[in-house]
Coordinates of all heavy atoms in Angstrom, one line a residue:
I1164 N -11.0 -4.6 -10.2 CA -11.2 -3.9 -8.9 C -9.9 -3.2 -8.6 O -8.8 -3.6 -9.0 CB -11.7 -4.8 -7.7 CG1 -10.6 -5.8 -7.4 CG2 -13.0 -5.5 -8.1 CD1 -10.7 -6.3 -6.0
R1166 N -8.1 -1.8 -4.9 CA -8.1 -1.7 -3.5 C -7.1 -0.6 -3.2 O -6.0 -0.5 -3.5 CB -7.6 -3.0 -2.8 CG -7.7 -3.0 -1.4 CD -7.4 -4.4 -0.8 NE -7.7 -4.5 0.7 CZ -6.8 -4.3 1.6 NH1 -5.6 -4.0 1.3 NH2 -7.1 -4.3 2.8
F1197 N 2.8 -8.5 -4.8 CA 1.5 -9.0 -4.4 C 1.0 -10.0 -5.5 O 0.9 -9.5 -6.6 CB 0.5 -8.0 -4.1 CG 0.6 -7.4 -2.7 CD1 1.8 -7.3 -2.1 CD2 -0.5 -6.7 -2.1 CE1 1.9 -6.7 -0.7 CE2 -0.5 -6.1 -0.8 CZ 0.8 -6.1 -0.2
P1198 N 0.7 -11.2 -5.2 CA 0.2 -12.1 -6.2 C -1.0 -11.6 -6.9 O -2.0 -11.2 -6.3 CB 0.0 -13.5 -5.5 CG 0.5 -13.3 -4.2 CD 0.7 -11.9 -3.9
G1199 N -1.0 -11.6 -8.3 CA -2.2 -11.2 -9.0 C -2.3 -9.7 -9.2 O -3.2 -9.3 -10.0
A1200 N -1.5 -8.9 -8.5 CA -1.6 -7.5 -8.8 C -1.2 -7.1 -10.2 O -0.3 -7.6 -10.8 CB -0.6 -6.7 -7.8
I1224 N -4.0 -0.6 -5.7 CA -3.6 -1.8 -6.4 C -4.7 -2.4 -7.2 O -5.8 -2.6 -6.6 CB -2.9 -2.9 -5.3 CG1 -1.8 -2.2 -4.5 CG2 -2.5 -4.1 -6.1 CD1 -1.2 -3.2 -3.5
R1225 N -4.4 -2.7 -8.4 CA -5.5 -3.2 -9.3 C -5.3 -4.7 -9.4 O -4.2 -5.2 -9.6 CB -5.3 -2.5 -10.7 CG -6.6 -3.0 -11.6 CD -6.4 -2.3 -12.9 NE -5.3 -2.9 -13.8 CZ -4.6 -2.4 -14.6 NH1 -4.8 -1.1 -14.9 NH2 -3.7 -3.0 -15.3
Y1226 N -6.5 -5.3 -9.4 CA -6.6 -6.8 -9.4 C -7.7 -7.1 -10.5 O -8.6 -6.3 -10.6 CB -7.0 -7.4 -8.1 CG -6.0 -7.3 -7.0 CD1 -6.1 -6.2 -6.1 CD2 -4.9 -8.1 -6.9 CE1 -5.2 -6.1 -5.1 CE2 -4.0 -8.0 -5.9 CZ -4.1 -7.0 -5.0 OH -3.1 -6.8 -4.0
P1227 N -7.7 -8.3 -11.1 CA -8.7 -8.6 -12.0 C -10.0 -8.9 -11.4 O -11.0 -8.6 -12.0 CB -8.2 -9.8 -12.8 CG -7.2 -10.5 -11.8 CD -6.6 -9.3 -11.0
D1228 N -10.1 -9.4 -10.2 CA -11.3 -9.7 -9.4 C -11.0 -9.7 -8.0 O -9.9 -9.8 -7.5 CB -11.9 -11.0 -10.0 CG -10.8 -12.1 -10.0 OD1 -10.2 -12.4 -9.0 OD2 -10.7 -12.8 -11.1
M1229 N -12.1 -9.8 -7.2 CA -12.0 -9.9 -5.7 C -11.3 -11.2 -5.3 O -10.7 -11.2 -4.3 CB -13.4 -9.7 -5.1 CG -13.4 -9.3 -3.7 SD -12.7 -7.7 -3.5 CE -11.9 -8.0 -1.9
E1230 N -11.6 -12.3 -5.9 CA -10.9 -13.5 -5.5 C -9.4 -13.4 -5.6 O -8.7 -13.8 -4.6 CB -11.4 -14.7 -6.5 CG -10.8 -16.0 -6.1 CD -11.3 -17.1 -7.1 OE1 -12.4 -17.1 -7.5 OE2 -10.4 -18.0 -7.4
T1231 N -8.9 -12.7 -6.6 CA -7.4 -12.6 -6.7 C -7.0 -11.6 -5.6 O -5.9 -11.8 -5.0 CB -7.1 -12.1 -8.1 OG1 -7.6 -12.9 -9.1 CG2 -5.6 -11.8 -8.3
C1232 N -7.7 -10.6 -5.4 CA -7.3 -9.6 -4.3 C -7.3 -10.4 -2.9 O -6.4 -10.1 -2.2 CB -8.3 -8.5 -4.3 SG -8.2 -7.3 -2.9
N1233 N -8.3 -11.2 -2.6 CA -8.3 -11.9 -1.4 C -7.1 -12.8 -1.2 O -6.6 -13.0 -0.1 CB -9.6 -12.7 -1.3 CG -10.8 -11.7 -0.8 OD1 -10.6 -10.7 -0.3 ND2 -12.0 -12.1 -1.3
R1234 N -6.7 -13.5 -2.4 CA -5.5 -14.3 -2.3 C -4.2 -13.5 -1.9 O -3.4 -13.9 -1.1 CB -5.3 -15.1 -3.6 CG -6.2 -16.3 -3.8 CD -5.7 -17.2 -4.8 NE -5.5 -16.6 -6.1 CZ -6.3 -16.4 -7.1 NH1 -7.6 -16.9 -6.8 NH2 -6.1 -15.9 -8.2
A1235 N -4.2 -12.3 -2.6 CA -3.0 -11.4 -2.3 C -3.0 -11.0 -0.8 O -1.9 -10.9 -0.2 CB -3.1 -10.2 -3.2
L1236 N -4.2 -10.8 -0.3 CA -4.3 -10.3 1.1 C -3.9 -11.4 2.1 O -3.5 -11.1 3.2 CB -5.7 -9.8 1.5 CG -6.1 -8.6 0.7 CD1 -7.6 -8.2 1.1 CD2 -5.2 -7.4 1.0
Q1237 N -3.9 -12.7 1.6 CA -3.4 -13.8 2.5 C -2.0 -14.2 2.2 O -1.5 -15.1 2.8 CB -4.4 -15.0 2.3 CG -5.8 -14.7 2.7 CD -5.9 -14.3 4.1 OE1 -5.3 -14.8 5.0 NE2 -6.7 -13.2 4.4
S1238 N -1.3 -13.5 1.3 CA 0.0 -13.9 0.9 C 1.1 -13.5 2.0 O 0.9 -12.5 2.7 CB 0.4 -13.3 -0.4 OG 0.5 -11.8 -0.4
D1239 N 2.2 -14.2 1.9 CA 3.3 -13.9 2.8 C 3.8 -12.4 2.6 O 4.2 -11.8 3.6 CB 4.4 -14.9 2.6 CG 4.0 -16.3 3.2 OD1 3.1 -16.4 4.0 OD2 4.8 -17.3 2.8
R1241 N 2.3 -9.8 1.6 CA 1.4 -8.8 2.2 C 1.7 -8.7 3.7 O 1.7 -7.6 4.2 CB -0.1 -9.2 2.0 CG -1.1 -8.2 2.2 CD -1.5 -8.1 3.7 NE -2.5 -7.0 3.8 CZ -3.6 -7.2 4.4 NH1 -4.0 -8.5 4.9 NH2 -4.5 -6.3 4.6
F1242 N 1.8 -9.9 4.4 CA 2.1 -9.7 5.8 C 3.5 -9.1 6.1 O 3.7 -8.4 7.0 CB 2.0 -11.1 6.5 CG 0.6 -11.6 6.6 CD1 0.1 -12.5 5.6 CD2 -0.3 -11.0 7.5 CE1 -1.2 -12.9 5.7 CE2 -1.6 -11.3 7.6 CZ -2.1 -12.3 6.7
V1263 N -12.4 -0.9 -1.4 CA -12.4 -1.7 -2.7 C -13.4 -1.0 -3.6 O -14.5 -0.7 -3.2 CB -12.6 -3.2 -2.5 CG1 -12.6 -3.8 -3.8 CG2 -11.5 -3.8 -1.6

Side-chain angles (χ1 to χ4, degrees):
I1164 63 153
R1166 185 172 190 266
F1197 279 24
I1224 303 179
R1225 186 178 75 210
Y1226 297 97
D1228 52 49
M1229 198 62 213
E1230 182 180 325
T1231 303
C1232 178
N1233 286 333
R1234 279 197 310 272
L1236 295 178
Q1237 297 304 314
S1238 69
D1239 290 343
R1241 193 274 181 127
F1242 289 103
V1263 176

